[in-house]
Amino acid sequence: QARTFTPEHVAQFSELTGDTNPIHVDPAFAATTRFKRPIVHGVFMNAVISALMGVQLPGSGSIYMSQSIKFKAPLHVGDTMVARVEVTEVDSSKPIITLRTTCRRADDASILMDGEAKVLVPS
């Protein structure tokens, strides 16, 4: 699932969550940092992973049980990322699957976020 986060998306996320860290929403402030431009909230990228699991794999009715995340690189506001989930384990005794979760930069495929999620699948 490809997603481009616009300044408007990031501003709305900041307002909804209360995370108004200027590294995300203030270009003048971001210019003084090592990132040089505003960066997308890491958990905003992870929200795309949540959407993938709730809508596509495993899909409607699934319940997000746990997630481990490693943020490897920033995504600048206006850039595009590609989110992916991949089943790595199926617990045959319970309706639980484990998925590898990744977000990569669209233009060079570098890893932005890597992790693992456990999901309760509908029975």
Side-chain angles (χ1 to χ4, degrees):
Q1 167 113 24
R3 173 72 60 167
T4 303
F5 295 94
T6 67
E8 294 77 22
H9 292 141
V10 173
Q12 289 173 342
F13 187 82
S14 291
E15 185 178 324
L16 287 169
T17 64
D19 182 353
T20 57
N21 183 336
I23 192 66
H24 304 299
V25 295
D26 183 345
F29 175 84
T32 68
T33 71
R34 62 194 250 161
F35 303 112
K36 302 300 180 204
R37 297 186 290 144
I39 59 173
V40 176
H41 300 74
V43 295
F44 199 5
M45 290 190 295
N46 195 58
V48 177
I49 295 289
S50 178
L52 277 173
M53 291 188 298
V55 176
Q56 294 181 20
L57 179 69
S60 184
S62 60
I63 303 296
Y64 210 150
M65 295 177 59
S66 67
Q67 171 84 49
S68 65
I69 305 170
K70 291 181 183 173
F71 296 104
K72 307 263 187 172
L75 178 68
H76 288 101
V77 175
D79 290 350
T80 302
M81 64 153 219
V82 177
R84 178 184 166 121
V85 297
E86 173 186 356
V87 176
T88 58
E89 184 180 333
V90 177
D91 185 337
S92 59
S93 68
K94 301 175 185 175
I96 296 173
I97 61 173
T98 303
L99 303 121
R100 180 171 183 211
T101 59
T102 56
C103 293
R104 293 180 179 269
R105 194 178 325 278
D107 62 357
D108 66 7
S110 61
I111 295 177
L112 303 166
M113 185 189 91
D114 194 18
E116 181 179 270
K118 290 200 181 285
V119 178
L120 179 67
V121 296
S123 48

